[in-house]
Amino acid sequence: MFYQYVELSDKTIIAHSELKNSGELKSIEVQFERPREAGGFCSARCELPSYKWIFNEHFSADDLNFFEEFLSHNAQTLFKYAACGGIKIA
């Protein structure tokens, strides 16, 4: 299950998975998705804390660099929300 985290001004939606435990290592996956003018979506997924890209369809290298920068500033918060089942909005 993925939980929406934020929508950027260019309509990119960023969502995160629940917290995954593999022994002592905790990880999450972060999904990036943006509508394409030609139809369909650009879509990519990154695993934290390794910052390993699991897949990428239609995002440019510049987009991925921007997303990595975004993740470096938001990783701690994303882990916090993943541990409690997403952002609780009233």
Side-chain angles (χ1 to χ4, degrees), residues 13-39:
I13 294 175
I14 302 171
H16 63 84
S17 69
E18 70 280 355
L19 190 63
K20 299 175 182 189
N21 292 313
S22 179
E24 293 184 22
L25 180 64
K26 295 180 181 181
S27 66
I28 62 172
E29 293 180 7
V30 182
Q31 173 81 23
F32 299 85
E33 191 171 83
R34 178 188 318 145
R36 296 177 65 198
E37 288 183 23

Side-chain angles (χ1 to χ4, degrees), residues 5 28 30 48-49 51 69-82:
Y5 178 63
I28 62 172
V30 182
L48 294 179
Y51 291 86
E69 180 75 15
F70 177 90
L71 289 172
S72 72
H73 293 289
N74 288 270
Q76 185 175 3
T77 304
L78 286 161
F79 270 95
K80 174 184 165 186
Y81 289 137

Side-chain angles (χ1 to χ4, degrees), residues 21-63:
N21 292 313
S22 179
E24 293 184 22
L25 180 64
K26 295 180 181 181
S27 66
I28 62 172
E29 293 180 7
V30 182
Q31 173 81 23
F32 299 85
E33 191 171 83
R34 178 188 318 145
R36 296 177 65 198
E37 288 183 23
F41 292 87
C42 298
S43 185
R45 190 173 295 171
C46 186
E47 182 182 63
L48 294 179
S50 67
Y51 291 86
K52 177 183 175 190
W53 289 100
I54 298 168
F55 73 86
N56 173 32
E57 293 178 346
H58 309 295
F59 278 118
S60 69
D62 287 342
D63 288 326

